[in-house]
Amino acid sequence: MPRVFIKTYGCQMNERDSEQVARMLMARGYQMTQSEHEADVVLLNTCSVRDMAEQKAIGKMGMMSRLRDARPHMVFGFLGCMAQSRGAELIRGLGHVDLVVGTQKFHRVADYVDEIFARRSQRSMDDPRFSIVDTGEEEGSQETIRDHVLAPEQATAFVSIMQGCDMHCTFCIVPSTRGRERSRGIAEIAREVRGLAARGVREVTLLGQIVNLYGRHEFPKKDGKSPFVQLIEAVHDIEGIERIRFTSPHPVGCREDLIQAFTRLPKLVEHIHLPLQSGSARILKAMHRTYTPGGYLALVDRIRAARADMAITTDVIVGFPGETDEDYAATRELMRRVRFDNAFIFRYSKRRETPAAALPGQVDEALKEARNQDLLAVVNEIARASNQALVGSTLQILCEGPSKTNAGRLMGRSRGNKIVLFEGGPRHIGRLFDVRITRATGFSLYGDAAIAG
């Protein structure tokens, strides 16, 4: 049967979408491969959040055109956000591309690949090349990302609970690539998670573009609890699931019912990723972020009052149009005040058809890079101190398998999402156990499972 190579760019939601595509192709007999040089089908699942991600995908596809010289039957396709945004222009710009599938049509990919192969078998290879472009909306598409490909002893899994975003931040292309907010039903999500637990998964991460606004258009509050908290409770009741995470929330969706859920639901881990984007009130307003620096700090204080051990991570954009030295200094000061456990720092990237792309005061790239590096230094300094304070303590970790940078070590995550490296064997993989932290460097902790027995 044909072999398929899928490369994924971008976020965990893209990874989850790629997994769904792989599962559907495998169900039809296709085999997955880790090398494009062995593949009959090459699919790039793309990201549009930053220009660099788009250029990487386009460059990768361009370089692979020469593979068709030796394998003229190959099928090349773009999937995901960039496919949704650019559509047929990707085929016009790269003549060897056969397939462009948008964000609401992942469940159609296997059909389309089959169709392309069938059409080729019916004609001469000298005929004009047949291609498919599908970037249309489809009612109910949020319900189609539900199947999983699990490796042996895999203990963690992503679960897509919604698609789309209605927030319309001025820098963000996601509302146009992912569409409006659409949520799956609680019963269907719980059924998926029960299936994962039966296959050995112990930790699930609930995924949504604005995950804590799940169900706000579809489902009512009950007993003062939002649909998202109701969903967490349903997953919490599933036997075999030991940990629940979610990403990414929005500060405006962090209401008291969610904060209290961290205090009363032991499977909900003490970690929250809470995007800040800027510490300047003026820039936040220009971003249409609908909160102020003071409001953000008050939210952090409420979260830490409820859970003193809560790990908080964030996203920040530097170089947004009109950002002055004073605006950047406000962001820098807020980062020091909150003392995030980790932060992802991004240079502002113009995205077409977003309001921010047309704003005056576009910041010079060199200044963006300088601010990026300066803020990274602040983040690294705080993270080192935070990790060093954990040396000598005992943390519960879930072992995920070999370290990506050193196959001789195993890697696990603490409940607070700290990466812990340690010496171990196959018996540790997929298990929850305590590790004594012996040293810390940067964003990694090193532990000894034997000390903790």
Side-chain angles (χ1 to χ4, degrees), residues 57-318:
I58 291 171
K60 177 74 171 177
M61 185 64 80
M63 288 190 296
M64 290 193 294
S65 65
R66 62 181 181 271
L67 297 177
R68 182 164 273 163
D69 294 339
R71 303 170 69 83
H73 66 282
M74 285 184 72
V75 173
F76 293 91
F78 281 116
L79 315 178
C81 290
M82 187 180 73
Q84 184 73 36
S85 175
R86 298 198 177 201
E89 75 175 68
L90 292 168
I91 288 179
R92 293 192 295 269
L94 293 162
H96 64 291
V97 173
D98 308 288
L99 181 62
V100 177
V101 178
T103 56
Q104 297 189 34
K105 298 298 182 76
F106 288 109
H107 58 292
R108 305 287 184 193
V109 171
D111 289 336
Y112 292 151
V113 171
D114 279 350
E115 184 177 352
I116 291 170
F117 276 130
R119 290 286 290 265
R120 287 191 182 167
S121 68
Q122 296 168 8
R123 62 170 173 78
S124 165
M125 291 301 295
D126 295 329
D127 288 346
R129 186 166 296 279
F130 172 72
S131 62
I132 296 174
V133 177
D134 188 354
T135 58
E137 295 183 1
E138 183 164 337
E139 191 71 26
S141 63
Q142 71 274 16
E143 298 287 355
T144 64
I145 310 299
R146 59 177 184 267
D147 302 314
H148 295 261
V149 179
L150 299 181
E153 299 179 323
Q154 181 175 330
T156 65
F158 295 129
V159 176
S160 177
I161 67 170
M162 62 187 295
Q163 291 182 353
C165 179
D166 292 347
M167 297 304 291
H168 297 285
C169 300
T170 59
F171 55 81
C172 187
I173 197 173
V174 166
S176 65
T177 60
R178 289 276 180 177
R180 62 178 177 80
E181 288 176 15
R182 305 165 323 277
S183 298
R184 301 173 61 195
I186 290 177
E188 177 58 31
I189 295 168
R191 186 177 303 114
E192 178 181 335
V193 175
R194 280 195 294 273
L196 290 169
R199 296 167 67 185
V201 168
R202 294 294 170 258
E203 174 184 294
V204 293
T205 300
L206 307 178
L207 296 179
Q209 202 64 48
I210 307 292
V211 71
N212 54 339
L213 297 183
Y214 162 85
R216 62 173 173 161
H217 300 310
E218 295 93 347
F219 314 121
K221 285 187 174 182
K222 291 182 179 179
D223 301 322
K225 299 170 188 173
S226 66
F228 184 55
V229 171
Q230 295 172 44
L231 172 62
I232 292 173
E233 289 179 336
V235 174
H236 194 275
D237 288 342
I238 295 173
E239 186 177 353
I241 296 300
E242 302 292 340
R243 288 180 174 184
I244 303 169
R245 302 184 186 274
F246 58 84
T247 197
S248 283
H250 191 291
V252 301
C254 287
R255 306 290 173 81
E256 194 61 27
D257 64 329
L258 179 55
I259 294 172
Q260 290 306 311
F262 282 102
T263 70
R264 63 184 181 81
L265 299 176
K267 295 181 182 180
L268 183 59
V269 299
E270 52 273 20
H271 168 241
I272 187 167
H273 186 74
L274 199 62
L276 168 65
Q277 307 304 2
S278 176
S280 161
R282 191 177 68 84
I283 295 299
L284 285 174
K285 185 176 181 179
M287 289 177 167
H288 192 217
R289 287 296 287 177
T290 68
Y291 54 85
T292 64
Y296 187 96
L297 287 170
L299 174 59
V300 168
D301 288 344
R302 296 202 329 267
I303 291 171
R304 286 179 169 161
R307 285 297 303 256
D309 57 348
M310 182 72 75
I312 303 178
T313 55
T314 197
D315 297 329
V316 176
I317 295 172
V318 296

